[in-house]
Amino acid sequence: MVNPIGALNKIFDSRIRLGVMSILVVNDAVSFNELKQMLELTDGNLASHLNTLEQAEYIKVQKAFIGRKTNTTYLITELGKQAFKAHLDALEKMIKGI
Amino acid sequence: MVNPIGALNKIFDSRIRLGVMSILVVNDAVSFNELKQMLELTDGNLASHLNTLEQAEYIKVQKAFIGRKTNTTYLITELGKQAFKAHLDALEKMIKGI
DNA sequence: TCCATAACTTTGAAGCACAAAGTGCTTTAA
DNA sequence: TTAAAGCACTTTGTGCTTCAAAGTTATGGA
């Protein structure tokens, strides 16, 4: 038998990063504050997890202006979508014992 | 919106514990060595994760004899089954954005 | 008698998660 | 026109988790 946990993505071991991806996979552009509120996190904690996801190129940042005010939103990348899907597939296989 | 990651079980944040549960949920009694081989872990690492699961009463140990030799197998408990299922449900809800 | 195997426990290092506090910029209220 | 408050961070420090490696105890086989 092949080790079932080997196919899991380490980046998604973290519940918070998993939560961020779950949100971004269905929502096109979500702001820092929306994520913060949805996931009930402190700024620092959220920022560091977003940073990890950005380093992995699973998400990207978009800085825009709403009137004069800057607004930062986060989007999932194509690579991020693939990695997330692959992780979920691996999870499913593991659970179902395939 | 309710925080989607709040319903996840911290015990199952670990890929190894998730792997153990996935195996035990479909296999009735699995030995220490079988788990060790399937998951490709060192003795100590496996033992400590099994210990965490046992503390939570999600698994239990069965010491039996094969001839004169002792044989240790692990089984999932009813509580373990419930907790595992609840975790998977929470995961699914989170991912599907329910 | 010696070695191997099973099933651990202990130890220690490395990495991670998290809160809290600090930063720089901007906007709004007094 | 300060002052306060919000946004989006970065930095810092503590405590927890993970893991490998080594040590332990017991048994079985050569």
Side-chain angles (χ1 to χ4, degrees):
Chain A
M1 196 213 267
V2 184
N3 179 357
I5 65 184
L8 299 176
N9 188 330
K10 288 213 171 150
I11 296 222
F12 303 134
D13 275 358
S14 153
R15 53 171 54 212
I16 292 179
R17 292 194 292 268
L18 209 58
V20 169
M21 293 300 280
S22 300
I23 292 169
L24 293 185
V25 86
V26 291
N27 298 99
D28 232 35
V30 184
S31 74
F32 187 87
N33 261 310
E34 283 168 329
L35 286 172
K36 189 180 134 188
Q37 280 157 30
M38 287 188 219
L39 301 172
E40 294 172 22
L41 301 172
T42 54
D43 297 12
N45 194 8
L46 175 57
S48 76
H49 285 291
L50 289 175
N51 195 49
T52 301
L53 290 171
E54 212 189 330
Q55 296 290 98
E57 295 181 48
Y58 289 174
I59 64 170
K60 63 184 177 213
V61 186
Q62 203 172 39
K63 307 259 183 194
F65 285 89
I66 295 181
R68 285 276 208 78
K69 203 175 159 186
T70 59
N71 178 265
T72 309
T73 53
Y74 296 86
L75 302 100
I76 197 167
T77 62
E78 199 47 50
L79 182 65
K81 272 183 209 170
Q82 283 169 26
F84 191 57
K85 185 177 183 313
H87 180 77
L88 297 183
D89 288 350
L91 253 185
E92 201 182 339
K93 272 187 190 153
M94 184 173 88
I95 292 155
K96 297 199 177 153
I98 303 169
Chain B
M1 196 212 269
V2 184
N3 179 357
I5 66 184
L8 298 176
N9 188 331
K10 287 212 173 151
I11 297 221
F12 303 134
D13 275 358
S14 152
R15 53 170 55 209
I16 293 179
R17 293 194 290 270
L18 210 58
V20 169
M21 294 299 279
S22 300
I23 291 169
L24 293 184
V25 86
V26 292
N27 299 100
D28 232 34
V30 184
S31 74
F32 187 87
N33 261 309
E34 283 169 328
L35 287 172
K36 189 180 133 186
Q37 281 157 30
M38 287 187 219
L39 301 173
E40 295 172 23
L41 300 172
T42 55
D43 298 10
N45 194 8
L46 175 57
S48 76
H49 284 291
L50 289 174
N51 194 49
T52 301
L53 290 171
E54 212 190 328
Q55 295 289 101
E57 295 181 49
Y58 288 174
I59 65 171
K60 64 185 173 210
V61 186
Q62 203 171 39
K63 306 260 182 193
F65 285 90
I66 295 183
R68 285 276 209 77
K69 203 174 159 184
T70 58
N71 177 266
T72 310
T73 54
Y74 295 86
L75 303 99
I76 197 167
T77 62
E78 199 46 50
L79 184 64
K81 273 183 209 170
Q82 284 169 26
F84 191 57
K85 186 179 181 314
H87 180 76
L88 298 183
D89 288 350
L91 252 185
E92 201 182 339
K93 271 188 192 152
M94 184 174 86
I95 292 155
K96 297 198 177 152
I98 303 168

